[in-house]
Amino acid sequence: KEAFRYVQQPQIEKITPSYGPLEGGTLIELSGTDMASDGLSLLFDGQEAVLLSNDGSLLKAYTPAGLVSGPITVRLQNIYGGHAIDEGFVYIDPISTTPDIVGVVPATGSIDGGDEVEVILEGVENTAVSAVFFGDQNAEILSISNDGASVRVISPANTSGSVNVRAELDDQELNRPEAFTYTEDLRIMEISPVSGPQSGGTDVTITGAGFTETTEVIFGVLPATNVELISANELIVTTPQGAPGTVSVRIVDGTRNA
């Protein structure tokens, strides 16, 4: 008797560390789910990383070389599909002598604040940063890395939208425009219609909160074939082909999910 099995797509939960030099070779650990699958690859801005080990929930790899300083998209995929985090890793130029904020990881957080965020810099000496601001709000500094490139902070509360991130040094102030986006917590409130043919192709309206341009929608284990962002509270998506029966619907946006 023949059978067919749907396979869950791999999901990224966290990447450590969140930055590394342009020449590549940074040993990273990626935690996630459903990673023990056929044809798995890890891409940094489209360039394939060297996979070292993978037990299905923790993957170790060396980063490929980067092209320019700044944040890039990290994508984990297998032969069935994948999951990407926009601005999930930041490349820095370790020999730069020009102080600059080159990235913020994660680049999205709750309007309630309280998210642990790394502000990534280059061209600075260790412990040079004395204060960090998200918009006009002061962020609590948790730690500064030995090389001065990573400042771990707690995001302050703010209203929805993108804000500049500023870092104060002893003799100057650095600014990265619209580097962090505040959103409501990701959630689904209503789905309409709630049924459609197993052949897929049904347009479904999802209302909720916290939606962005990078929000993905999963029906069971299969991604929607099209996702249109109407607003932070509304998506119109197209159902994939599936088997008869009821499936769960979930939304994923970077490391946020509901």
Side-chain angles (χ1 to χ4, degrees):
K1 183 178 181 180
E2 295 183 353
F4 183 82
R5 179 172 65 94
Y6 284 107
V7 177
Q8 186 79 277
Q9 295 182 84
Q11 189 83 23
I12 301 171
E13 294 178 345
K14 187 175 183 179
I15 302 168
T16 306
S18 59
Y19 71 98
L22 280 169
E23 61 262 31
T26 301
L27 175 62
I28 62 101
E29 292 187 352
L30 186 152
S31 58
T33 58
D34 300 296
M35 298 194 299
S37 54
D38 298 332
L40 191 74
S41 61
L42 177 62
L43 304 176
F44 284 66
D45 202 25
Q47 304 300 309
E48 193 162 354
V50 178
L51 301 184
L52 301 176
S53 63
N54 176 20
D55 66 7
S57 60
L58 181 66
L59 179 153
K60 295 182 180 182
Y62 286 125
T63 60
L67 298 177
V68 295
S69 298
I72 55 95
T73 297
V74 179
R75 180 174 177 82
L76 184 66
Q77 64 184 29
N78 57 22
I79 60 176
Y80 308 107
H83 176 219
I85 296 183
D86 192 31
E87 302 188 36
F89 186 85
V90 178
Y91 279 108
I92 65 171
D93 182 354
I95 64 173
S96 173
T97 57
T98 303
D100 191 18
I101 298 174
V102 290
V104 177
V105 181
T108 303
S110 171
I111 58 175
D112 297 325
D115 294 307
E116 187 172 312
V117 179
E118 281 189 87
V119 179
I120 309 300
L121 306 99
E122 67 181 17
V124 300
E125 297 179 356
N126 57 341
T127 70
V129 175
S130 58
V132 174
F133 294 87
F134 284 54
D136 295 325
Q137 305 300 313
N138 193 6
E140 176 190 355
I141 295 178
L142 298 177
S143 65
I144 301 175
S145 61
N146 290 334
D147 60 5
S150 169
V151 182
R152 292 173 56 245
V153 303
I154 296 296
S155 63
N158 217 321
T159 56
S160 294
S162 296
V163 297
N164 297 352
V165 173
R166 296 181 290 121
E168 289 187 353
L169 281 66
D170 294 337
D171 56 352
Q172 64 181 303
E173 180 179 279
L174 307 179
N175 180 61
R176 187 169 181 87
E178 299 185 345
F180 189 81
T181 301
Y182 282 96
T183 67
E184 295 185 62
D185 290 337
L186 197 62
R187 66 181 184 271
I188 296 175
M189 299 174 63
E190 184 178 1
I191 298 173
S192 179
V194 294
S195 63
Q198 69 180 91
S199 57
T202 301
D203 287 338
V204 175
T205 299
I206 299 176
T207 56
F211 304 154
T212 73
E213 291 284 356
T214 57
T215 300
E216 301 175 72
V217 179
I218 312 295
F219 287 78
V221 299
L222 300 174
T225 57
N226 182 64
V227 178
E228 181 182 359
L229 177 68
I230 305 302
S231 71
N233 303 103
E234 183 179 353
L235 298 170
I236 295 179
V237 305
T238 304
T239 59
Q241 185 176 0
T246 301
V247 299
S248 61
V249 178
R250 60 190 178 92
I251 47 179
V252 177
D253 196 326
T255 56
R256 303 183 303 143
N257 59 80

